[in-house]
Short mmCIF file of all heavy atoms in Angstrom, two decimals:
data_model
loop_
_atom_site.label_atom_id
_atom_site.label_comp_id
_atom_site.label_asym_id
_atom_site.label_seq_id
_atom_site.Cartn_x
_atom_site.Cartn_y
_atom_site.Cartn_z
N TRP B 98 -76.78 -69.31 198.74
CA TRP B 98 -75.94 -70.23 197.96
C TRP B 98 -75.05 -70.96 198.96
O TRP B 98 -75.13 -70.71 200.18
CB TRP B 98 -75.14 -69.50 196.88
CG TRP B 98 -74.01 -68.59 197.35
CD1 TRP B 98 -74.00 -67.84 198.50
CD2 TRP B 98 -72.77 -68.32 196.69
NE1 TRP B 98 -72.83 -67.11 198.58
CE2 TRP B 98 -72.06 -67.38 197.49
CE3 TRP B 98 -72.18 -68.74 195.51
CZ2 TRP B 98 -70.79 -66.89 197.13
CZ3 TRP B 98 -70.92 -68.24 195.17
CH2 TRP B 98 -70.25 -67.34 195.96
N GLY B 100 -71.67 -71.11 198.29
CA GLY B 100 -70.38 -70.81 197.65
C GLY B 100 -69.28 -70.36 198.59
O GLY B 100 -68.13 -70.24 198.17
N THR B 101 -69.62 -70.04 199.83
CA THR B 101 -68.57 -69.71 200.81
C THR B 101 -68.80 -70.56 202.06
O THR B 101 -69.91 -71.05 202.30
CB THR B 101 -68.58 -68.19 201.17
OG1 THR B 101 -69.91 -67.77 201.49
CG2 THR B 101 -68.09 -67.35 199.99
N ASN B 103 -69.13 -70.10 205.17
CA ASN B 103 -70.14 -69.76 206.18
C ASN B 103 -71.51 -70.32 205.84
O ASN B 103 -72.26 -70.74 206.72
CB ASN B 103 -70.21 -68.23 206.38
CG ASN B 103 -70.63 -67.49 205.12
OD1 ASN B 103 -70.01 -67.66 204.07
ND2 ASN B 103 -71.66 -66.68 205.20
N TRP B 104 -71.87 -70.33 204.56
CA TRP B 104 -73.21 -70.82 204.19
C TRP B 104 -73.27 -72.34 204.28
O TRP B 104 -74.30 -72.91 204.65
CB TRP B 104 -73.60 -70.34 202.78
CG TRP B 104 -73.65 -68.84 202.67
CD1 TRP B 104 -72.82 -68.04 201.92
CD2 TRP B 104 -74.56 -67.93 203.32
NE1 TRP B 104 -73.16 -66.72 202.07
CE2 TRP B 104 -74.23 -66.62 202.92
CE3 TRP B 104 -75.63 -68.11 204.20
CZ2 TRP B 104 -74.91 -65.50 203.37
CZ3 TRP B 104 -76.32 -66.98 204.65
CH2 TRP B 104 -75.96 -65.70 204.23
N ASP B 177 -78.09 -63.25 208.50
CA ASP B 177 -76.79 -62.74 208.04
C ASP B 177 -76.91 -61.51 207.10
O ASP B 177 -75.98 -60.75 206.98
CB ASP B 177 -75.97 -63.85 207.36
CG ASP B 177 -74.53 -63.42 207.11
OD1 ASP B 177 -73.74 -63.47 208.07
OD2 ASP B 177 -74.19 -63.03 205.99
N ARG B 178 -78.06 -61.35 206.43
CA ARG B 178 -78.25 -60.22 205.52
C ARG B 178 -79.59 -59.57 205.82
O ARG B 178 -80.56 -60.28 206.12
CB ARG B 178 -78.26 -60.71 204.07
CG ARG B 178 -76.97 -61.37 203.63
CD ARG B 178 -77.07 -61.91 202.20
NE ARG B 178 -75.77 -62.38 201.73
CZ ARG B 178 -75.56 -62.91 200.53
NH1 ARG B 178 -76.56 -63.01 199.66
NH2 ARG B 178 -74.36 -63.31 200.18
N ASP B 229 -76.40 -58.06 197.47
CA ASP B 229 -76.33 -58.41 198.89
C ASP B 229 -76.23 -57.12 199.70
O ASP B 229 -75.25 -56.38 199.57
CB ASP B 229 -75.09 -59.29 199.12
CG ASP B 229 -74.80 -59.53 200.59
OD1 ASP B 229 -75.55 -59.04 201.46
OD2 ASP B 229 -73.80 -60.23 200.87
N ASN B 231 -75.31 -56.53 202.54
CA ASN B 231 -74.08 -56.41 203.33
C ASN B 231 -72.97 -55.72 202.54
O ASN B 231 -72.14 -55.01 203.11
CB ASN B 231 -73.53 -57.79 203.71
CG ASN B 231 -74.28 -58.40 204.88
OD1 ASN B 231 -74.93 -57.70 205.64
ND2 ASN B 231 -74.17 -59.72 205.01
N PHE B 235 -70.40 -53.10 204.04
CA PHE B 235 -68.98 -53.39 204.30
C PHE B 235 -68.12 -52.27 203.69
O PHE B 235 -67.19 -51.76 204.30
CB PHE B 235 -68.55 -54.72 203.64
CG PHE B 235 -69.18 -55.98 204.21
CD1 PHE B 235 -69.19 -57.15 203.45
CD2 PHE B 235 -69.75 -56.03 205.46
CE1 PHE B 235 -69.75 -58.33 203.94
CE2 PHE B 235 -70.33 -57.20 205.97
CZ PHE B 235 -70.33 -58.35 205.19
N TRP B 269 -70.56 -62.13 194.16
CA TRP B 269 -69.46 -62.55 195.05
C TRP B 269 -68.59 -63.63 194.37
O TRP B 269 -68.09 -64.55 195.02
CB TRP B 269 -69.99 -63.15 196.35
CG TRP B 269 -70.56 -62.19 197.35
CD1 TRP B 269 -71.86 -61.88 197.55
CD2 TRP B 269 -69.83 -61.44 198.35
NE1 TRP B 269 -72.01 -61.00 198.59
CE2 TRP B 269 -70.79 -60.71 199.10
CE3 TRP B 269 -68.49 -61.31 198.69
CZ2 TRP B 269 -70.45 -59.87 200.17
CZ3 TRP B 269 -68.15 -60.48 199.75
CH2 TRP B 269 -69.11 -59.78 200.47
N ASN B 298 -64.25 -60.36 201.35
CA ASN B 298 -64.32 -61.68 202.01
C ASN B 298 -63.09 -62.51 201.63
O ASN B 298 -62.26 -62.09 200.80
CB ASN B 298 -65.65 -62.41 201.75
CG ASN B 298 -65.75 -63.06 200.38
OD1 ASN B 298 -64.88 -62.88 199.51
ND2 ASN B 298 -66.80 -63.82 200.17
N LEU B 322 -62.71 -61.77 205.14
CA LEU B 322 -63.88 -61.97 206.01
C LEU B 322 -64.30 -63.43 205.95
O LEU B 322 -64.29 -64.02 204.85
CB LEU B 322 -65.04 -61.10 205.52
CG LEU B 322 -66.42 -61.35 206.15
CD1 LEU B 322 -66.44 -60.91 207.61
CD2 LEU B 322 -67.51 -60.59 205.39
N ASP B 323 -64.69 -63.97 207.07
CA ASP B 323 -65.31 -65.29 207.23
C ASP B 323 -64.42 -66.28 207.98
O ASP B 323 -64.90 -67.32 208.41
CB ASP B 323 -65.71 -65.97 205.90
CG ASP B 323 -66.90 -65.31 205.23
OD1 ASP B 323 -67.68 -64.65 205.95
OD2 ASP B 323 -67.06 -65.46 204.01
N GLU B 325 -62.43 -68.39 206.73
CA GLU B 325 -62.53 -69.69 206.04
C GLU B 325 -61.24 -70.47 206.33
O GLU B 325 -60.16 -69.87 206.45
CB GLU B 325 -62.66 -69.46 204.53
CG GLU B 325 -63.98 -68.84 204.13
CD GLU B 325 -64.27 -68.97 202.64
OE1 GLU B 325 -63.33 -69.21 201.86
OE2 GLU B 325 -65.45 -68.82 202.27
N LYS B 343 -66.69 -64.18 211.93
CA LYS B 343 -68.11 -63.98 212.27
C LYS B 343 -68.71 -65.38 212.39
O LYS B 343 -69.34 -65.89 211.47
CB LYS B 343 -68.83 -63.12 211.22
CG LYS B 343 -68.64 -63.56 209.79
CD LYS B 343 -69.17 -62.55 208.79
CE LYS B 343 -70.62 -62.71 208.42
NZ LYS B 343 -70.91 -63.89 207.57
C1 BGC K 517 -71.71 -62.81 204.08
C2 BGC K 517 -70.29 -63.26 203.98
C3 BGC K 517 -70.08 -64.05 202.69
C4 BGC K 517 -70.67 -63.33 201.50
C5 BGC K 517 -70.61 -64.17 200.24
C6 BGC K 517 -72.10 -62.09 202.84
O1 BGC K 517 -73.42 -61.63 202.95
O2 BGC K 517 -71.85 -61.97 205.22
O3 BGC K 517 -69.99 -64.04 205.09
O4 BGC K 517 -68.72 -64.25 202.45
O5 BGC K 517 -72.00 -62.99 201.76
O6 BGC K 517 -71.25 -65.39 200.39
#
Side-chain angles (χ1 to χ4, degrees):
W98 70 326
T101 49
N103 61 306
W104 299 113
D177 191 79
R178 298 177 173 180
D229 171 1
N231 281 340
F235 294 160
W269 286 98
N298 77 353
L322 170 69
D323 289 337
E325 291 196 342
K343 51 190 271 288

